[in-house]
């Protein structure tokens, strides 16, 4: 029952489900009580027939036997039929009408057995009152009709008795009818009132039950309901097949940080809605944490689970719209299967979580099926975090440089990208260790080290005759939160004697809404020194150009996903972004350009700077001199632009 209640549907539907269930329970209870009561009444009538009747009887027959005999014979019928029905068909409409008929016949029997001494309407009123417990007015009508028929027949047969109201006097007849009608009306009004109260309760119960099983913000199921649904089937039965999909929103924190929690919350509601549309109707989508959802896929084997996971991932290709602004979001999904990876929800959730992390580390926007070898990697992550703390001292960190070229093919600058040469694991990507360093606070010293070494390299290029080749360095939000960030940058530039106008710092939108006044102070000081500021990964978050005005940035870097999308969809989005950026005096860098086609397309629509494997991958510092030399020789970019 609770489960039924918790199922989706409007509040009204859920409340009426609950109401129907309560009425069913009530009717079954009354059926049983009435069957017992009829039995007791019968015993009472037998006692009356054998004890009171001889004393009060003044009819024509000379003994009590006919009454006792009738009572004994009628009893099993009047008590037995409703008793059997109450046992076999509790709460059914037919049962309560049979009970009503029997109860009235029992009244008739009592009146007969006492020779009409018990005022009929008293007993009839009592019977109607019992039946009113059903809260079903139709039962009262049945009872009243039985009473009327009995009175009419008995009155014709025995006009001098109490039944003879119809012939005794019209007033007597009207009085009886009036009393029965009055009581029926009274009981029906009372019954309706009681039904209204039950309905109010049912609505409250449905609300409570829903609240207990659902997430307040998104209305998706919560952990409790997820658990309830998971254990609905017998865990050890052969048919126990389920898949658990752990779904995490990529870079949701970034959106929350940049746009505020209000927008984040609204986005979560839209995400929950989309997720529940992307799974099948019998499956459950639950929100189990901030931006974490779990989908429980019923009866799924590997291929079904993978198909649904793929559907989920691709279902996020379409942007979300909040206040007219388009937000692109992707998800990383981890899959675990029952019974292969466990039969307990907690185990499966953990396994799916590990797989989800693997999906994230493979570049997000993807799904991964759990395998035990991933656990090994999970443990590696912990080890990696410990190792990272030592990496700087052990000189395992390096800076690679990726060229950025003008549309005419001339080299303009390099972007400095950190690399970690792990003694055992080899080169580790910054997408793995930068977030770790950000979380531990290590990013402050690591970032400064990257800045110093990148600026030193740039100074070296100037000395070697490549005057004007610039350097771009990524800066994390955590660094900008330091009180002395801009002073440190100034110190570094001074120490390595690099002209500040050759430095560009790349920030992401996550710097906004952290400590905006402080960020702006730092950025203003940097700008005052002629350092340039560009916004990286434009197109992954809120990507509002108005934020750029607040920041007074010098340019934006289009996220690779935008570049790829632009070519695939041939849409106008990129073109209008570039046009708007130019109108606001912003330079546009295209990033992640892998093919000559993408490069051509970006140049055609006015991109100012191009970066990507097509023009050169990030390379270690020792390769740069040869690279620059080849560039000097040809004066144009060695790769076709
Ligand atoms: P980012 O600043 O957006 O850097 C661009 C990323 O795109 C780099 O990844 C680069 O190798 C990659 N890339 C370049 N060309 C292409 C291409 O044609 N196709 C594709 N698919 N990718 C391309 P990388 O080096 O792995 O860096 C990842 C991110 O790590 C960077 O993104 C940046 O946000 C962060 N990062 C790297 N070094 C530092 C650092 O010193 N400090 C901070 N705070 N973050 C850093
Ligand atoms: Mg960058
Ligand atoms: Mg970028």
């Amino acid at each position: 029952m609770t489960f039924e209640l918790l199922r989706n549907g409007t509040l009204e539907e859920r409340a009426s489900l609950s109401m129907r269930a309560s009425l069913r329970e009530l009717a079954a209870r009354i059926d049983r009580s009435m069957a017992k009561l009829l039995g007791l009444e019968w015993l009472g009538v037998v006692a009356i027939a054998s004890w009171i009747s001889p004393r009060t009887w003044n009819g024509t027959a000379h003994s009590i036997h006919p009454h006792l005999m009738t009572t004994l014979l009628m009893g099993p019928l009047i008590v037995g039929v409703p008793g059997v029905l109450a046992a076999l068909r509790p709460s059914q409409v037919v049962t309560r009408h049979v009970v009503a008929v029997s109860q009235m016949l029992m009244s008739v029997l009592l009146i007969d057995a006492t020779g009409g001494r018990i005022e009929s309407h008293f007993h009839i009123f009592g019977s109607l009152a019992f039946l009113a417990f059903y809260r079903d007015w139709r039962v009262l009508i049945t009872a009243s009709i039985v009473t009327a028929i009995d009175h009419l027949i008995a009155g014709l047969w025995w006009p001098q008795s109490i039944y003879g109201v119809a012939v005794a006097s019209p007033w007597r007849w009207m009085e009886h009818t009036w009393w029965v009608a009055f009581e029926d009306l009274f009981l029906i009004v009372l019954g309706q009132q009681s039904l209204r109260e039950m309905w109010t309760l049912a609505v409250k119960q449905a609300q409570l039950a829903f609240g207990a099983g659902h997430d307040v913000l998104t209305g998706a199921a919560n952990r409790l309901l997820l658990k309830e649904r998971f254990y609905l089937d017998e865990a050890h039965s052969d048919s126990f097949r389920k898949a658990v999909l752990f779904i995490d929103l990529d870079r949701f924190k970034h959106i929350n940080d940049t746009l505020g929690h209000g927008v984040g919350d609204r986005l979560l509601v839209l995400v929950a809605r989309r997720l529940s549309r992307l799974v099948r109707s019998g499956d459950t989508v639950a929100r189990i944490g901030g931006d974490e959802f779990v989908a429980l896929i019923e009866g799924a084997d590997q291929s079904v689970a993978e198909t649904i996971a793929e559907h989920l991932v691709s279902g996020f290709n379409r942007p979300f719209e909040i206040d007219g602004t388009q937000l692109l979001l992707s998800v990383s999904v981890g899959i675990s299967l029952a019974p292969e990876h466990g039969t307990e929800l907690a185990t499966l959730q953990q396994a799916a979580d590990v797989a989800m992390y693997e999906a994230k580390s493979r570049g997000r926007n993807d799904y991964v099926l759990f395998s035990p070898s991933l656990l090994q990697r999970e443990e590696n992550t912990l080890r990696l975090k410990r190792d990272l703390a030592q990496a700087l001292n052990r000189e395992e960190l390096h800076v690679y440089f990726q060229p950025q070229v003008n549309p005419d093919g001339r080299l303009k600058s390099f972007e400095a990208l950190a690399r970690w040469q792990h003694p055992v694991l080899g080169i580790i990507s910054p997408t793995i260790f930068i977030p770790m360093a950000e979380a531990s606070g290590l990013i402050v010293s690591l970032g400064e080290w990257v800045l110093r070494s990148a600026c030193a390299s740039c100074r070296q290029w100037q000395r070697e005759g490549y005057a004007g080749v610039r350097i771009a360095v990524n800066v994390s939000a955590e660094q900008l939160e330091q009180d002395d960030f801009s002073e440190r940058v100034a110190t570094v530039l001074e120490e390595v004697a690099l002209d500040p106008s050759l430095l560009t710092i790349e920030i992401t939108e996550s710097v906004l809404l952290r400590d905006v006044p402080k960020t702006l102070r730092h950025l203003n000081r940097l700008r005052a020194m002629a350092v340039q500021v560009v916004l990286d990964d434009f197109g992954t978050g809120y990507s509002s150009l108005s934020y750029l005005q607040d920041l007074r940035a010098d340019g934006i870097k289009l996220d690779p996903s935008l570049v790829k999308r632009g070519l695939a969809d041939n849409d106008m989005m990129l073109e209008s972004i570039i046009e708007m950026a130019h109108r606001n005096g912003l330079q546009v860098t295209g990033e992640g350009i892998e093919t000559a086609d993408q490069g051509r397309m970006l140049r055609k629509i006015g991109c100012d700077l191009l970066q990507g494997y097509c023009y050169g991958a990030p390379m270690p510092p020792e390769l740069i001199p040869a690279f620059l030399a080849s560039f000097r020789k040809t004066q144009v970019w060695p790769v076709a632009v």
Side-chain angles (χ1 to χ4, degrees), residues 298-367:
E298 302 289 342
D301 58 9
Q302 182 178 335
S303 84
V304 172
E306 285 184 335
T307 309
I308 293 178
E310 198 173 328
H311 193 51
L312 283 181
V313 172
S314 61
F316 277 72
N317 284 345
R318 264 181 311 120
F320 291 91
E321 197 177 309
I322 290 186
D323 293 340
T325 305
Q326 307 248 312
L327 283 165
L328 256 178
L329 203 65
S330 60
V331 288
S332 298
V333 180
I335 309 171
S336 64
L337 302 170
E340 290 91 328
H341 305 134
T343 49
E344 297 297 322
L345 179 61
T347 321
L348 288 162
Q349 219 170 291
Q350 209 175 359
D353 190 20
V354 169
M356 184 275 291
Y357 266 98
E358 178 64 17
K360 285 233 184 239
S361 67
R362 288 188 195 168
R364 305 185 173 104
N365 194 21
D366 203 356
Y367 68 88

Side-chain angles (χ1 to χ4, degrees), residues 486-561:
S486 39
E487 283 86 37
R488 277 167 186 249
V489 175
T491 313
V492 167
L493 287 168
E494 216 175 284
E495 278 172 13
V496 302
L498 182 71
D499 176 357
S501 68
L502 291 174
L503 173 66
T504 299
I505 66 163
E506 295 189 3
I507 56 175
T508 59
E509 282 165 324
S510 60
V511 302
L512 283 160
L513 302 186
R514 281 231 177 166
D515 185 347
V516 181
K518 194 185 274 177
T519 300
L520 289 180
R521 230 176 15 252
H522 287 316
L523 295 184
N524 284 338
R525 273 191 218 141
L526 291 174
R527 240 189 314 272
M529 297 189 294
V531 173
Q532 294 206 346
V533 176
V534 304
L535 197 66
D536 208 349
D537 305 335
F538 189 87
T540 52
Y542 199 43
S543 302
S544 158
L545 286 171
S546 66
Y547 279 113
L548 290 165
Q549 276 163 352
D550 293 346
L551 278 175
R552 293 201 276 132
D554 299 284
I556 56 175
K557 287 186 79 173
L558 303 173
D559 195 70
S561 61

Side-chain angles (χ1 to χ4, degrees), residues 5 51 63 168 263 493:
L5 246 185
W51 187 63
S63 83
V263 171
L493 287 168

Side-chain angles (χ1 to χ4, degrees), residues 9-297:
T10 64
L11 180 65
E12 184 128 346
E13 283 164 358
R14 281 181 281 114
S16 71
L17 249 178
S18 150
M19 176 87 171
R20 274 208 294 279
S22 313
L23 283 175
R24 263 201 308 276
E25 273 170 38
L26 176 88
R29 218 172 43 238
I30 307 293
D31 286 342
R32 281 193 301 274
S33 308
M34 287 302 294
K36 282 183 207 148
L37 187 71
L38 280 167
L40 287 175
E41 284 179 64
W42 181 47
L43 292 179
V45 179
V46 170
I48 286 167
S50 53
W51 187 63
I52 304 180
S53 297
R55 280 161 244 274
T56 57
W57 176 249
N58 56 5
T60 48
H62 60 280
S63 83
I64 59 161
H65 291 153
H67 312 293
L68 189 57
M69 288 309 286
T70 317
T71 308
L72 286 173
L73 286 176
M74 289 287 284
L77 205 66
I78 297 180
V79 177
V81 178
V84 170
L85 278 178
L88 299 181
R89 298 211 178 286
S91 85
Q92 295 212 347
V93 178
V94 57
T95 307
R96 75 189 73 146
H97 285 280
V98 168
V99 165
V101 172
S102 303
Q103 177 59 45
M104 298 331 281
L105 290 181
M106 189 62 85
S107 289
V108 169
L109 202 60
L110 178 68
I111 297 165
D112 285 348
T114 57
R117 284 306 163 107
I118 293 182
E119 272 280 16
S120 64
H121 42 248
F122 283 165
H123 200 263
I124 283 161
F125 290 165
S127 298
L128 289 177
F130 288 146
L131 294 170
F133 277 111
Y134 277 117
R135 273 89 153 173
D136 183 350
W137 60 272
R138 286 161 301 194
V139 171
L140 295 177
I141 302 303
T142 301
S144 305
I145 291 173
V146 171
T147 307
I149 293 174
D150 169 66
H151 270 55
L152 281 176
I153 294 174
L156 288 175
W157 186 261
W158 195 12
Q160 73 279 21
S161 75
I162 195 163
Y163 292 118
V165 288
V167 283
S169 129
W171 296 113
R172 190 103 175 100
W173 174 81
M174 274 174 67
E175 185 203 349
H176 275 226
T177 310
W178 155 250
W179 277 116
V180 172
F182 171 76
E183 204 196 22
D184 272 346
L185 192 73
F186 177 77
L187 290 173
I188 287 169
V189 169
L190 218 66
Q192 290 306 107
Q193 174 68 24
S194 154
L195 282 177
R196 267 197 297 277
E197 281 162 14
M198 279 174 79
W199 173 251
T200 313
L201 267 177
V203 171
K204 274 200 190 123
Q205 199 186 342
Q207 268 166 338
L208 269 177
F210 186 82
H214 290 80
D215 171 46
V216 184
L217 174 68
T218 62
N222 62 14
R223 285 166 190 274
L224 198 85
L225 182 54
L226 180 70
K227 206 165 159 186
E228 195 171 322
R229 298 219 174 143
F230 183 85
Y231 289 108
L232 210 60
D233 303 329
E234 191 54 53
H236 300 291
S237 74
D238 289 343
S239 60
F240 192 75
R241 282 221 132 272
K242 285 167 198 286
V244 169
L245 268 50
F246 201 109
I247 305 155
D248 191 276
L249 307 183
D250 298 331
R251 301 203 180 102
F252 180 72
K253 186 177 172 300
H254 174 69
I255 288 184
N256 236 351
D257 286 349
T258 37
L259 307 173
H261 292 273
V263 171
D265 283 356
R266 284 161 67 194
L267 187 59
L268 281 173
V269 174
L270 297 180
V271 165
R273 241 181 257 162
R274 185 171 296 181
L275 283 175
S276 56
R277 272 202 298 270
L278 289 169
V279 297
R280 302 166 312 176
S281 65
D283 301 332
T284 305
V285 172
R287 178 172 173 234
I288 58 152
D291 64 340
E292 291 171 340
F293 292 83
V294 163
L296 179 65
I297 311 296

Side-chain angles (χ1 to χ4, degrees), residues 5-6 49 54 65 190 463 480 482 537 582 636:
L5 246 185
L6 296 171
H65 291 153
L190 218 66
R463 281 209 191 94
L480 276 158
Q482 304 296 306
D537 305 335
H582 283 166
V636 282

